[in-house]
Each structure stands twice: as structure tokens, then as C-alpha cells.
Amino acid sequence: QVQLVESGGGVVQPGRSLRLSCAASGFSFSSHGMHWVRQAPGKGLEWVAATSSDGSLRFYVDSLRGRVAVSRDNSKNTLFLQINNVGAEDTAVYYCARENVGHTSTWFDLWGQGALVTVTS
Amino acid sequence: DVQVTQSPSSLSASVGDSVTMSCRTSERVSNFFNWYQQKPGRAPKLLIYAASTLQSGVPARFSGSGSGTDFTLTISSLQPEDFAVYFCQQTYITPPYTFGHGTKLEIK
């Protein structure tokens, strides 16, 4: 079954770190760039981070630069996201998404179910 | 970074109506542009990619158009299951791949 499954969500105290995982199955994980997108409660989608298919390239949203790290383990078909020194503004549902690329565009054609992270003391 | 402005923020329509929503980017993005549908408590679902290509399995009543900086999503003959939030996204060259703020399509 082609799917992405996030894990690692839950309650995180302010100032601590959050670490999420995204397990891929049913497709060639190492052939695709992968992304993290988050959605604060009642808000829109915010693109957060991305990694190329081999993990050599990493991209981050400016607002998180310095606090965020994306990585992947292609041997385990798993994508990771770590955000350090979290605050209330990091409370959100975090989605991982698969990138697909054509001649004339790039799109996210497979999404995980999302992992809710709540930052609270 | 490329900014995406989506309008309207909300839209009210009846089953059977046709509706259109729009997005504008701050720079030309060719047709590196996508549309997603999101229902409450669910992950976004890809509807249209490359500005006008219908994703497999998506009903033909959904259509996308545009290139450069201006893009539209049209839903013809609205069905009850179409009432949701719609997001547009630019994916030009390299990340960040920014989203519009969404259009909430509500039943009139």
C-alpha cells in the first residue's frame, strides 16, 4: 500500500525539541524529494522543509532557519523533522508529503495523515 | 521568496453551481502551480498540477487554468462532497514552495 505515516506527535514543552518521523511504504522512497508542511489550528498550510531524494540538498522556510533540520534514511524509508527550542507558534499538525516532478512542474501527490504537535507547559 | 495571494477567502454556493477561485503569484512561475482540496481533519488532496493537469481519479468537473502569475480553479456543477477548503501552491524552481491562504467553499 502506497502511504506515508507520521509519528512522534504529542505534547512538547516550550524550549524543548520536537522530532517527527514519516515512514514511507509501497513506493521507491529514494526516488523522491520529500517535504514537511504544517498547519496551525484553524490556519492555512505552511511549507516547512524539504530534502532531495538522496538527502544531499535541504531547504527550510526562513522563519524556522536555525531551529529546524530535515533528514532522511533511505535504507529505512523514513523522513525526519526536528525543530529545536519550540514555542507556542510551533503548535500545528505536521504533514509529510511526497514530491513528484514532471517536465513542467513539481507537485505533492501523496500526503501523510498528519501528526499533531502541541507546545504547552 | 514567491508570495501567493489567493481569493476570495470564502465562497458560498449551491449544489449544481459553478464556482471559480483565483491565485496570483508575486513573480512569474510558468505553470509550476498546483491546487489542493482539504476537508476537515484530513490531509490535503492534490486536484490539479502543472496549472491545468487533472490528477488521476479527480472528477472532470475540476479544472485549472493560467500561467505566469495568474491562476484559476473552476469547479463546475458543484457536488455536496466539493464543499471544502482549497489551497493553491507555487513550486517554481527551488523551495520554499509557498501556499495561498485558502478559499473556504461553503454551502449556500
Side-chain angles (χ1 to χ4, degrees):
Chain A
Q1 184 177 1
V2 176
Q3 63 179 2
L4 298 169
V5 178
E6 298 95 341
S7 60
V11 175
V12 183
Q13 292 183 329
R16 305 296 291 267
S17 297
L18 72 84
R19 183 172 172 84
L20 300 173
S21 300
C22 170
S25 58
F27 66 97
S28 177
F29 179 70
S30 62
S31 298
H32 292 266
M34 295 294 297
H35 297 254
W36 288 99
V37 176
R38 71 181 180 179
Q39 186 170 36
K43 302 298 184 181
L45 301 172
E46 179 184 29
W47 177 87
V48 171
T51 176
S52 58
S53 58
D54 64 358
S56 63
L57 298 176
R58 302 175 188 186
F59 303 90
Y60 302 109
V61 66
D62 284 347
S63 61
L64 288 177
R65 203 174 302 275
R67 292 201 296 127
V68 62
V70 62
S71 59
R72 64 191 296 163
D73 184 339
N74 284 347
S75 69
K76 297 182 178 179
N77 293 337
T78 305
L79 175 73
F80 302 99
L81 179 74
Q82 179 163 326
I83 301 178
N84 300 320
N85 189 25
V86 299
E89 68 276 11
D90 297 312
T91 293
V93 174
Y94 287 76
Y95 296 101
C96 59
R98 182 180 74 177
E99 175 185 289
N100 212 337
V101 179
H103 292 297
T104 58
S105 194
T106 298
W107 57 95
F108 298 173
D109 64 345
L110 180 66
W111 295 67
Q113 85 286 357
L116 174 62
V117 174
T118 302
V119 179
T120 181
S121 54
Chain B
D1 297 347
V2 179
Q3 306 303 311
V4 181
T5 302
Q6 186 170 354
S7 62
S9 57
S10 65
L11 192 52
S12 183
S14 301
V15 172
D17 287 351
S18 177
V19 297
T20 297
M21 56 195 77
S22 301
C23 288
R24 174 168 288 177
T25 57
S26 59
E27 303 172 20
R28 295 183 65 84
V29 297
S30 184
N31 61 346
F32 283 72
F33 203 83
N34 312 309
W35 291 93
Y36 301 87
Q37 176 194 65
Q38 187 180 34
K39 296 182 178 180
R42 305 292 298 274
K45 171 189 173 183
L46 177 68
L47 297 175
I48 301 282
Y49 63 93
S52 61
T53 303
L54 196 66
Q55 169 70 346
S56 176
V58 175
R61 62 181 180 273
F62 292 90
S63 63
S65 63
S67 183
T69 62
D70 293 288
F71 302 88
T72 60
L73 174 71
T74 299
I75 312 172
S76 60
S77 188
L78 278 169
Q79 298 301 299
E81 61 267 29
D82 299 337
F83 293 93
V85 181
Y86 293 84
F87 292 96
C88 57
Q89 179 198 33
Q90 68 80 23
T91 55
Y92 190 60
I93 306 301
T94 58
Y97 291 159
T98 42
F99 291 89
H101 288 106
T103 294
K104 186 175 183 179
L105 178 57
E106 299 176 300
I107 299 176
K108 185 181 290 184

Short mmCIF file of all heavy atoms in Angstrom, two decimals, chain A residues 41-69:
data_model
loop_
_atom_site.label_atom_id
_atom_site.label_comp_id
_atom_site.label_asym_id
_atom_site.label_seq_id
_atom_site.Cartn_x
_atom_site.Cartn_y
_atom_site.Cartn_z
N PRO A 41 -3.65 25.34 14.11
CA PRO A 41 -5.11 25.15 14.28
C PRO A 41 -5.90 26.25 13.61
O PRO A 41 -5.69 27.44 13.87
CB PRO A 41 -5.27 25.17 15.80
CG PRO A 41 -3.97 24.70 16.33
CD PRO A 41 -2.93 25.25 15.40
N GLY A 42 -6.80 25.85 12.72
CA GLY A 42 -7.67 26.81 12.05
C GLY A 42 -6.99 27.68 11.00
O GLY A 42 -7.61 28.62 10.49
N LYS A 43 -5.75 27.38 10.67
CA LYS A 43 -4.99 28.20 9.73
C LYS A 43 -4.72 27.46 8.43
O LYS A 43 -5.16 26.34 8.22
CB LYS A 43 -3.67 28.63 10.38
CG LYS A 43 -3.84 29.40 11.68
CD LYS A 43 -4.59 30.71 11.48
CE LYS A 43 -4.65 31.51 12.78
NZ LYS A 43 -5.40 32.79 12.60
N GLY A 44 -3.95 28.11 7.56
CA GLY A 44 -3.62 27.53 6.27
C GLY A 44 -2.38 26.66 6.32
O GLY A 44 -1.83 26.37 7.39
N LEU A 45 -1.95 26.25 5.15
CA LEU A 45 -0.79 25.37 5.03
C LEU A 45 0.49 26.20 4.94
O LEU A 45 0.55 27.20 4.22
CB LEU A 45 -0.91 24.52 3.77
CG LEU A 45 -2.14 23.63 3.68
CD1 LEU A 45 -2.24 22.99 2.30
CD2 LEU A 45 -2.11 22.57 4.77
N GLU A 46 1.50 25.76 5.69
CA GLU A 46 2.81 26.42 5.65
C GLU A 46 3.86 25.39 5.26
O GLU A 46 4.07 24.42 6.00
CB GLU A 46 3.14 27.03 7.00
CG GLU A 46 4.50 27.72 7.02
CD GLU A 46 4.91 28.27 8.38
OE1 GLU A 46 4.49 27.70 9.40
OE2 GLU A 46 5.66 29.27 8.40
N TRP A 47 4.53 25.62 4.15
CA TRP A 47 5.63 24.75 3.77
C TRP A 47 6.78 24.98 4.75
O TRP A 47 7.12 26.13 5.07
CB TRP A 47 6.08 25.07 2.34
CG TRP A 47 7.26 24.26 1.92
CD1 TRP A 47 7.26 23.03 1.36
CD2 TRP A 47 8.63 24.63 2.08
NE1 TRP A 47 8.55 22.61 1.16
CE2 TRP A 47 9.41 23.57 1.59
CE3 TRP A 47 9.28 25.75 2.59
CZ2 TRP A 47 10.78 23.59 1.59
CZ3 TRP A 47 10.65 25.79 2.60
CH2 TRP A 47 11.40 24.71 2.09
N VAL A 48 7.39 23.89 5.24
CA VAL A 48 8.39 24.00 6.31
C VAL A 48 9.79 23.61 5.85
O VAL A 48 10.75 24.34 6.11
CB VAL A 48 7.99 23.10 7.49
CG1 VAL A 48 9.11 23.02 8.54
CG2 VAL A 48 6.70 23.61 8.14
N ALA A 49 9.91 22.46 5.20
CA ALA A 49 11.25 21.96 4.89
C ALA A 49 11.16 20.92 3.79
O ALA A 49 10.10 20.33 3.55
CB ALA A 49 11.90 21.34 6.13
N ALA A 50 12.31 20.70 3.14
CA ALA A 50 12.37 19.69 2.08
C ALA A 50 13.77 19.10 2.01
O ALA A 50 14.76 19.73 2.40
CB ALA A 50 12.01 20.31 0.74
N THR A 51 13.82 17.89 1.50
CA THR A 51 15.10 17.26 1.21
C THR A 51 15.04 16.58 -0.15
O THR A 51 13.99 16.07 -0.54
CB THR A 51 15.49 16.24 2.31
OG1 THR A 51 16.70 15.57 1.94
CG2 THR A 51 14.40 15.20 2.51
N SER A 52 16.14 16.63 -0.87
CA SER A 52 16.22 15.96 -2.15
C SER A 52 16.18 14.45 -1.97
O SER A 52 16.28 13.94 -0.84
CB SER A 52 17.49 16.38 -2.89
OG SER A 52 18.63 16.07 -2.09
N SER A 53 16.05 13.74 -3.06
CA SER A 53 15.87 12.29 -2.98
C SER A 53 17.04 11.58 -2.29
O SER A 53 16.83 10.59 -1.58
CB SER A 53 15.67 11.70 -4.38
OG SER A 53 16.78 12.01 -5.21
N ASP A 54 18.24 12.09 -2.47
CA ASP A 54 19.40 11.45 -1.84
C ASP A 54 19.81 12.13 -0.53
O ASP A 54 20.78 11.73 0.11
CB ASP A 54 20.59 11.43 -2.79
CG ASP A 54 21.10 12.81 -3.15
OD1 ASP A 54 20.51 13.82 -2.69
OD2 ASP A 54 22.09 12.91 -3.89
N GLY A 55 19.06 13.16 -0.13
CA GLY A 55 19.34 13.85 1.13
C GLY A 55 20.45 14.87 1.06
O GLY A 55 20.77 15.50 2.07
N SER A 56 21.04 15.07 -0.11
CA SER A 56 22.18 15.98 -0.21
C SER A 56 21.76 17.45 -0.20
O SER A 56 22.56 18.32 0.15
CB SER A 56 22.97 15.68 -1.48
OG SER A 56 22.18 15.91 -2.63
N LEU A 57 20.54 17.73 -0.59
CA LEU A 57 20.03 19.11 -0.60
C LEU A 57 18.92 19.24 0.43
O LEU A 57 18.05 18.38 0.52
CB LEU A 57 19.50 19.47 -1.98
CG LEU A 57 20.50 19.45 -3.13
CD1 LEU A 57 19.79 19.74 -4.44
CD2 LEU A 57 21.63 20.44 -2.89
N ARG A 58 18.97 20.32 1.18
CA ARG A 58 17.95 20.58 2.19
C ARG A 58 17.53 22.04 2.10
O ARG A 58 18.36 22.93 1.90
CB ARG A 58 18.50 20.26 3.59
CG ARG A 58 18.96 18.81 3.71
CD ARG A 58 19.61 18.49 5.03
NE ARG A 58 20.19 17.14 5.00
CZ ARG A 58 20.72 16.53 6.05
NH1 ARG A 58 20.75 17.16 7.22
NH2 ARG A 58 21.22 15.32 5.94
N PHE A 59 16.26 22.28 2.29
CA PHE A 59 15.69 23.61 2.17
C PHE A 59 14.77 23.85 3.37
O PHE A 59 14.10 22.92 3.84
CB PHE A 59 14.85 23.74 0.88
CG PHE A 59 15.62 23.44 -0.36
CD1 PHE A 59 15.66 22.14 -0.85
CD2 PHE A 59 16.27 24.44 -1.06
CE1 PHE A 59 16.36 21.84 -2.02
CE2 PHE A 59 16.96 24.15 -2.22
CZ PHE A 59 17.01 22.86 -2.69
N TYR A 60 14.74 25.12 3.82
CA TYR A 60 13.95 25.45 5.00
C TYR A 60 13.22 26.77 4.81
O TYR A 60 13.72 27.67 4.12
CB TYR A 60 14.84 25.56 6.23
CG TYR A 60 15.62 24.31 6.53
CD1 TYR A 60 17.00 24.25 6.33
CD2 TYR A 60 14.97 23.16 7.00
CE1 TYR A 60 17.71 23.09 6.59
CE2 TYR A 60 15.68 22.00 7.26
CZ TYR A 60 17.04 21.96 7.04
OH TYR A 60 17.74 20.82 7.30
N VAL A 61 12.07 26.89 5.47
CA VAL A 61 11.37 28.16 5.50
C VAL A 61 12.20 29.15 6.32
O VAL A 61 12.81 28.77 7.34
CB VAL A 61 9.95 27.98 6.07
CG1 VAL A 61 9.97 27.59 7.54
CG2 VAL A 61 9.11 29.22 5.86
N ASP A 62 12.23 30.39 5.87
CA ASP A 62 13.07 31.39 6.54
C ASP A 62 12.74 31.55 8.02
O ASP A 62 13.64 31.74 8.85
CB ASP A 62 12.91 32.75 5.85
CG ASP A 62 13.67 32.82 4.53
OD1 ASP A 62 14.51 31.93 4.27
OD2 ASP A 62 13.41 33.76 3.76
N SER A 63 11.47 31.48 8.37
CA SER A 63 11.04 31.74 9.75
C SER A 63 11.57 30.69 10.73
O SER A 63 11.60 30.94 11.93
CB SER A 63 9.52 31.80 9.83
OG SER A 63 8.95 30.57 9.42
N LEU A 64 12.00 29.54 10.25
CA LEU A 64 12.50 28.48 11.13
C LEU A 64 14.00 28.24 10.99
O LEU A 64 14.57 27.44 11.76
CB LEU A 64 11.78 27.16 10.84
CG LEU A 64 10.33 27.07 11.29
CD1 LEU A 64 9.74 25.72 10.87
CD2 LEU A 64 10.20 27.23 12.79
N ARG A 65 14.61 28.94 10.04
CA ARG A 65 16.03 28.67 9.79
C ARG A 65 16.83 28.85 11.07
O ARG A 65 16.68 29.83 11.80
CB ARG A 65 16.54 29.59 8.70
CG ARG A 65 17.76 29.05 7.98
CD ARG A 65 18.12 29.96 6.80
NE ARG A 65 17.03 30.09 5.85
CZ ARG A 65 16.78 29.25 4.86
NH1 ARG A 65 17.57 28.22 4.69
NH2 ARG A 65 15.77 29.46 4.05
N GLY A 66 17.70 27.87 11.35
CA GLY A 66 18.49 27.87 12.58
C GLY A 66 17.90 27.00 13.67
O GLY A 66 18.61 26.61 14.60
N ARG A 67 16.60 26.71 13.56
CA ARG A 67 15.94 25.85 14.56
C ARG A 67 15.50 24.52 14.00
O ARG A 67 15.10 23.64 14.75
CB ARG A 67 14.69 26.54 15.13
CG ARG A 67 14.92 27.74 15.98
CD ARG A 67 13.70 28.02 16.88
NE ARG A 67 12.49 28.35 16.15
CZ ARG A 67 11.32 27.74 16.32
NH1 ARG A 67 11.21 26.75 17.17
NH2 ARG A 67 10.26 28.14 15.64
N VAL A 68 15.55 24.38 12.68
CA VAL A 68 14.92 23.23 12.04
C VAL A 68 15.95 22.40 11.28
O VAL A 68 16.94 22.94 10.75
CB VAL A 68 13.81 23.70 11.09
CG1 VAL A 68 14.36 24.59 9.97
CG2 VAL A 68 13.02 22.53 10.52
N ALA A 69 15.71 21.10 11.24
CA ALA A 69 16.57 20.21 10.47
C ALA A 69 15.72 19.09 9.88
O ALA A 69 14.92 18.48 10.60
CB ALA A 69 17.67 19.63 11.33
#
